[in-house]
Amino acid sequence: MRIITCVTCPKVSVLPPSSAEISSKKTATLVCVANKGFPSDWSLSWKVDGSSRSQESSAGLLEKDGLYSWSSSLTLSEQEWMESVSVSCVTRPKVSVLPPSSSEISSKKTATLVCVANKGFPSDWSLSWKVDGSSRSQESSAGLLEKDGLYSWSSSLTLSEQEWMESVSVSCEATRSGQPALTGHVTRHQCSE
């Protein structure tokens, strides 16, 4: 059985802080709202003048229309808010690992896995592989700008049939300076018929 997932990019909006909060509390809280996205595993991240700010975002909330929404807030000091040029909230790429085909394993005695990261911004994410926790160096594509203004990346890893059969877990991580790694993984047992 093959499962096909249609990906829908969430619409992202940033709500500015209220002037009442700035004058009374000397802080500025911005709220990022992303909605109408699918599947539920999107996440949000913040940038202030190009520098990442770590902040929690909510888990995807299933709406009546079958799509998901997310939110995150960022509180800056009044001074940071007044001095900032740009505050942005962005979606982080979704990482998936596509398992090898059984026909490749039986005919070529190799197992090629493909890592796809899509719907991310900006373009400087990179992909890396691990087999049972050990790093494997492999080239990944540069960010490809899609029609929706977001980027996608891909990388492939070829293992011998023996390596694939003996492996417990193969993972692909999308990383970017100052951001936590995003991981997709596959186990051989997930691919068994």
Side-chain angles (χ1 to χ4, degrees):
M1 178 171 80
R2 181 172 286 169
I3 298 172
I4 298 173
T5 303
C6 296
V7 175
T8 304
C9 291
K11 295 176 181 152
V12 179
S13 303
V14 176
L15 308 175
S18 72
S19 53
E21 176 196 6
I22 296 170
S23 62
S24 68
K25 295 183 179 178
K26 304 298 183 202
T27 60
T29 301
L30 296 94
V31 177
C32 179
V33 178
N35 56 31
K36 305 284 186 195
F38 187 86
S40 65
D41 56 358
W42 289 86
S43 60
L44 305 173
S45 62
W46 288 94
K47 285 184 157 287
V48 177
D49 294 334
S51 297
S52 296
R53 292 290 181 95
S54 59
Q55 204 67 19
E56 291 294 313
S57 64
S58 67
L61 176 66
L62 183 60
E63 303 289 352
K64 291 178 183 176
D65 59 7
L67 299 175
Y68 290 85
S69 63
W70 303 260
S71 65
S72 177
S73 63
L74 176 68
T75 301
L76 303 174
S77 69
E78 178 185 28
Q79 182 177 350
E80 281 181 300
W81 171 244
M82 299 306 280
E83 293 175 356
S84 64
V85 175
S86 167
V87 178
S88 58
C89 175
V90 296
T91 58
R92 294 183 2 194
K94 177 183 183 239
V95 180
S96 302
V97 177
L98 309 174
S101 70
S102 54
S103 62
E104 176 197 4
I105 295 169
S106 61
S107 66
K108 295 182 179 180
K109 305 298 182 202
T110 59
T112 301
L113 296 97
V114 177
C115 178
V116 178
N118 55 29
K119 308 298 181 192
F121 186 85
S123 65
D124 59 350
W125 289 83
S126 62
L127 303 177
S128 60
W129 289 93
K130 287 187 179 179
V131 178
D132 294 335
S134 298
S135 294
R136 294 287 180 101
S137 60
Q138 201 69 20
E139 291 293 314
S140 66
S141 68
L144 175 66
L145 182 60
E146 303 288 351
K147 290 178 183 177
D148 59 8
L150 299 175
Y151 290 86
S152 63
W153 304 260
S154 65
S155 178
S156 62
L157 175 68
T158 301
L159 303 175
S160 68
E161 178 184 25
Q162 182 178 350
E163 282 181 299
W164 173 244
M165 297 306 283
E166 292 174 356
S167 68
V168 175
S169 176
V170 178
S171 62
C172 175
E173 290 184 344
T175 55
R176 182 171 183 273
S177 178
Q179 295 281 339
L182 305 170
T183 305
H185 74 277
V186 65
T187 62
R188 187 173 44 79
H189 304 293
Q190 291 174 315
C191 304
S192 302
E193 305 269 351

